[in-house]
Amino acid sequence: MKKIFIWLFFVSLAAADIENGFEVYKTHCAGCHSIKMEGSMGRDFNLVSYDRKKEDILRYIIEPNSAFRDFGYSSNAMPKINIKPEDVNDVAEYIDSLQKFKKWMKKS
Ligand code: HEC
């Protein structure tokens, strides 16, 4: 697990590809997370964008089964999704970009 984090750290230094992030979203997340507030099993990504930092989004994608308590959930229904580190970074960047105004407010 540590290796993945180190890897991700370097990957996230490179510019993320938001367009690819949207593709990753459609393929791997859209079944459970909406982006137009339609409501779904998981939270709409606008809400996630609104109050989560990118590093927290990265963590949840990598290890939902150990992060869920820190995020305030009492149980974990989201499976670990097997995607490349680049795709993890791109989809996290995509989610982070949804609420642009909030981006600077949640950094502290
Ligand atoms: C099978 C349904 C499912 C899929 C597929 C899924 N999720 Fe989730 N996700 C959930 C559920 C349900 C939660 C609520 C906590 C839990 O059960 O783990 C959640 C929680 C989250 C959270 C924490 C939200 C918050 O602010 O509290 C993030 C971030 C997240 N998911 C990102 C993703 C991303 C990115 C993908 C695609 C790569 C994805 N999820 C795919 C069901 C899913």
Side-chain angles (χ1 to χ4, degrees), residues 4-85:
I4 295 178
F5 275 113
I6 292 167
W7 220 100
L8 258 177
F9 174 74
F10 287 111
V11 167
S12 63
L13 292 179
D17 181 344
I18 293 183
E19 267 170 43
N20 181 53
F22 182 50
E23 296 304 316
V24 175
Y25 162 74
K26 285 190 283 189
T27 313
H28 298 281
C29 323
C32 300
H33 293 273
S34 62
I35 48 167
K36 292 187 175 158
M37 302 303 286
E38 292 105 337
S40 198
M41 185 180 174
R43 286 175 92 201
D44 188 284
F45 279 161
N46 287 285
L47 300 174
V48 177
S49 183
Y50 195 79
D51 61 11
R52 303 286 190 200
K53 295 180 195 171
K54 185 183 171 191
E55 67 229 50
D56 295 329
I57 298 170
L58 286 172
R59 179 174 174 217
Y60 211 90
I61 304 168
I62 298 164
E63 45 167 32
N65 50 351
S66 72
F68 73 95
R69 283 187 211 284
D70 293 342
F71 279 64
Y73 298 101
S74 55
S75 61
N76 164 231
M78 175 168 153
K80 185 170 162 29
I81 319 258
N82 274 321
I83 50 176
K84 289 182 291 183

